[in-house]
Amino acid sequence: MVEKSDNIVRFDVGGTKFATLKKTFPQGTLFYSWFCSFTQKIPFCQEDHGVYFVDRDPFSFGVILNYFRLRHSNQLWEACLPKDPDRLAMLTQEAEYFRLEQLREQAICLLQSCSDKSDTAYVNEVLSKSASCPQGFKHILSS
């Protein structure tokens, strides 16, 4: 099925271009209320050709869009979280700004556990705290 261009939202976040389908935004999020139900005023400037300028961190915004996309397709959304503690710290702030409590809490959990862990232990820690995959990484690999 081909999506109409009016079903696509385009963003310029700190100079980085993003686009996603409106149906990717879950009900109950600010993004849904801004771009789908129009129950709240969109707080971003609209540039030429309908692109919304968002003066936020582009890396974190990409993670947020991937969070929405993975949740929309019922995939393991925790996979989109960065491993770098600095990126996680920034993501906690951006998730708070956009009122994405679940994403913020998971990022905080990871941030607290990322010191003194190897990559495998780190991933296992992430997944063990995940509601969608509490069995950990080994379970996913063996499936």
Side-chain angles (χ1 to χ4, degrees), residues 51-140:
V51 176
Y52 292 96
F53 178 75
V54 182
D55 193 18
R56 303 300 297 183
D57 176 55
F59 178 84
S60 295
F61 195 82
V63 172
I64 289 168
L65 289 182
N66 284 331
Y67 165 72
F68 288 146
R69 290 173 182 134
L70 290 167
R71 283 188 58 197
H72 178 76
S73 59
N74 294 316
Q75 292 179 288
L76 185 66
W77 65 263
E78 291 85 348
C80 73
L81 295 170
K83 290 182 180 178
D84 179 85
D86 293 333
R87 299 267 189 198
L88 277 170
M90 177 61 84
L91 181 60
T92 64
Q93 298 304 298
E94 295 299 287
E96 184 173 331
Y97 177 81
F98 289 116
R99 297 187 203 150
L100 299 169
E101 191 64 30
Q102 185 180 29
L103 180 61
R104 180 182 172 276
E105 291 303 316
Q106 190 68 41
I108 288 171
C109 255
L110 285 176
L111 193 55
Q112 290 171 343
S113 68
C114 69
S115 62
D116 302 328
K117 301 211 183 251
S118 68
D119 284 348
T120 304
Y122 174 82
V123 172
N124 281 325
E125 183 76 17
V126 171
L127 295 177
S128 71
K129 292 182 178 171
S130 161
S132 58
C133 188
Q135 307 89 328
F137 192 58
K138 290 179 184 175
H139 174 69
I140 291 178

